[in-house]
Amino acid sequence: MSDERPRPENESVPGNAEDAQHGVLDGITAAWQQAKDAFANSERRYHDLVEHSLGLICTHDLNGRLRSINPAAARSLGYEPERGVGHNLAEFLAPETRHLFEDYLQRIRENGQDAGLMRVIASDGRERVWMYHNVLSDEPGTQPYVLGHAIDITERVVAERMLREKEQALRRAHDELERRVTERTIALEQANERLRVEIAERQNAEERRERALVEQRDTLAFVASVSEGLAP
């Protein structure tokens, strides 16, 4: 006969409890590793997006000093990213627009964002037009900074300017054509008026000539009749 007594139903077996704890720890470790991998993948995708984006992605402080800039955008202007970081964004603006930069910073501070067009100078001296939308990031416990997004719309601006110039040229050509048509119409009207006057004068002259011939004929006839009456 065995001395083993039956265990109560709520009494746990030491070996099983340890296995359960290991299982829970393994599950937590696996979940943490998955989260870590997902975060690393997200970080890598974000890094690739920023690194290779042809649009401008940058950050600058509230004085305009650049803290970061994506390489593709920097190189599209002929600069290396290191050339921009630490410099003020105003240094890359067209000289005739730099006086507007302080107004931009003031709008960022007051409104938390700003959008518009900025004219920047590439390393070769050419001017490019960028359309931007920048947002202020001011999280508790961190230094506020501005996250900038911009795209190069120079070709669009040039195309629009050329279209406006063509429209203006077409309008000038249309106005010139109208002017010439008006002048030609006036000239034709004046010529027609001169022709009507000339025709009227010719008709009057012809009528006077005919009256003179009739008077001359009547006079000759009268003289002839008188001469016949006086003849012996």
Side-chain angles (χ1 to χ4, degrees), residues 28 39 55 68 91 107 156 175:
I28 293 175
F39 180 76
S68 67
E91 298 177 26
R107 291 194 300 271
R156 192 182 83 179
D175 294 342

PDB file of all heavy atoms in Angstrom, residues 28 39 55 68 91 107 156 175:
ATOM      1  N   ILE A  28       7.442  37.721 -22.655  1.00  0.00           N
ATOM      2  CA  ILE A  28       7.765  39.148 -22.508  1.00  0.00           C
ATOM      3  C   ILE A  28       9.006  39.508 -23.320  1.00  0.00           C
ATOM      4  O   ILE A  28       9.058  40.529 -24.007  1.00  0.00           O
ATOM      5  CB  ILE A  28       7.967  39.486 -21.024  1.00  0.00           C
ATOM      6  CG1 ILE A  28       6.645  39.335 -20.260  1.00  0.00           C
ATOM      7  CG2 ILE A  28       8.522  40.901 -20.862  1.00  0.00           C
ATOM      8  CD1 ILE A  28       6.773  39.530 -18.760  1.00  0.00           C
ATOM      9  N   PHE A  39      10.575  49.051 -33.940  1.00  0.00           N
ATOM     10  CA  PHE A  39      11.056  50.418 -33.770  1.00  0.00           C
ATOM     11  C   PHE A  39      12.290  50.660 -34.634  1.00  0.00           C
ATOM     12  O   PHE A  39      12.426  51.722 -35.260  1.00  0.00           O
ATOM     13  CB  PHE A  39      11.388  50.665 -32.300  1.00  0.00           C
ATOM     14  CG  PHE A  39      11.903  52.045 -32.027  1.00  0.00           C
ATOM     15  CD1 PHE A  39      11.043  53.123 -31.993  1.00  0.00           C
ATOM     16  CD2 PHE A  39      13.264  52.264 -31.820  1.00  0.00           C
ATOM     17  CE1 PHE A  39      11.522  54.403 -31.750  1.00  0.00           C
ATOM     18  CE2 PHE A  39      13.743  53.535 -31.575  1.00  0.00           C
ATOM     19  CZ  PHE A  39      12.872  54.610 -31.537  1.00  0.00           C
ATOM     20  N   GLY A  55      12.788  66.569 -51.552  1.00  0.00           N
ATOM     21  CA  GLY A  55      12.280  67.766 -50.914  1.00  0.00           C
ATOM     22  C   GLY A  55      13.141  68.116 -49.719  1.00  0.00           C
ATOM     23  O   GLY A  55      13.858  67.277 -49.175  1.00  0.00           O
ATOM     24  N   SER A  68      19.742  70.418 -38.616  1.00  0.00           N
ATOM     25  CA  SER A  68      19.847  69.244 -39.494  1.00  0.00           C
ATOM     26  C   SER A  68      19.262  69.589 -40.846  1.00  0.00           C
ATOM     27  O   SER A  68      18.440  70.501 -40.970  1.00  0.00           O
ATOM     28  CB  SER A  68      19.097  68.041 -38.887  1.00  0.00           C
ATOM     29  OG  SER A  68      17.703  68.292 -38.856  1.00  0.00           O
ATOM     30  N   GLU A  91      21.499  82.728 -44.454  1.00  0.00           N
ATOM     31  CA  GLU A  91      22.697  82.808 -45.296  1.00  0.00           C
ATOM     32  C   GLU A  91      22.468  82.218 -46.676  1.00  0.00           C
ATOM     33  O   GLU A  91      23.184  82.560 -47.626  1.00  0.00           O
ATOM     34  CB  GLU A  91      23.860  82.076 -44.620  1.00  0.00           C
ATOM     35  CG  GLU A  91      24.281  82.656 -43.274  1.00  0.00           C
ATOM     36  CD  GLU A  91      25.379  81.831 -42.628  1.00  0.00           C
ATOM     37  OE1 GLU A  91      26.134  81.161 -43.364  1.00  0.00           O
ATOM     38  OE2 GLU A  91      25.481  81.844 -41.379  1.00  0.00           O
ATOM     39  N   ARG A 107       6.632  85.162 -37.085  1.00  0.00           N
ATOM     40  CA  ARG A 107       5.362  84.464 -37.352  1.00  0.00           C
ATOM     41  C   ARG A 107       5.410  83.046 -36.789  1.00  0.00           C
ATOM     42  O   ARG A 107       4.399  82.539 -36.268  1.00  0.00           O
ATOM     43  CB  ARG A 107       5.082  84.430 -38.857  1.00  0.00           C
ATOM     44  CG  ARG A 107       4.755  85.786 -39.454  1.00  0.00           C
ATOM     45  CD  ARG A 107       4.168  85.654 -40.854  1.00  0.00           C
ATOM     46  NE  ARG A 107       5.081  85.002 -41.783  1.00  0.00           N
ATOM     47  CZ  ARG A 107       5.980  85.639 -42.510  1.00  0.00           C
ATOM     48  NH1 ARG A 107       6.104  86.962 -42.410  1.00  0.00           N
ATOM     49  NH2 ARG A 107       6.767  84.984 -43.352  1.00  0.00           N
ATOM     50  N   ARG A 156       8.245  75.212 -62.100  1.00  0.00           N
ATOM     51  CA  ARG A 156       6.855  75.656 -62.205  1.00  0.00           C
ATOM     52  C   ARG A 156       6.769  77.175 -62.266  1.00  0.00           C
ATOM     53  O   ARG A 156       6.009  77.738 -63.064  1.00  0.00           O
ATOM     54  CB  ARG A 156       6.042  75.145 -61.016  1.00  0.00           C
ATOM     55  CG  ARG A 156       4.534  75.314 -61.203  1.00  0.00           C
ATOM     56  CD  ARG A 156       3.779  74.846 -59.984  1.00  0.00           C
ATOM     57  NE  ARG A 156       3.731  75.886 -58.960  1.00  0.00           N
ATOM     58  CZ  ARG A 156       3.115  75.746 -57.798  1.00  0.00           C
ATOM     59  NH1 ARG A 156       2.558  74.580 -57.486  1.00  0.00           N
ATOM     60  NH2 ARG A 156       3.086  76.738 -56.922  1.00  0.00           N
ATOM     61  N   ASP A 175      -3.543  93.851 -79.292  1.00  0.00           N
ATOM     62  CA  ASP A 175      -3.783  95.294 -79.227  1.00  0.00           C
ATOM     63  C   ASP A 175      -3.189  95.998 -80.436  1.00  0.00           C
ATOM     64  O   ASP A 175      -3.803  96.930 -80.984  1.00  0.00           O
ATOM     65  CB  ASP A 175      -3.180  95.865 -77.935  1.00  0.00           C
ATOM     66  CG  ASP A 175      -3.879  95.356 -76.694  1.00  0.00           C
ATOM     67  OD1 ASP A 175      -5.017  94.844 -76.815  1.00  0.00           O
ATOM     68  OD2 ASP A 175      -3.280  95.460 -75.592  1.00  0.00           O
TER      69      ASP A 175
END
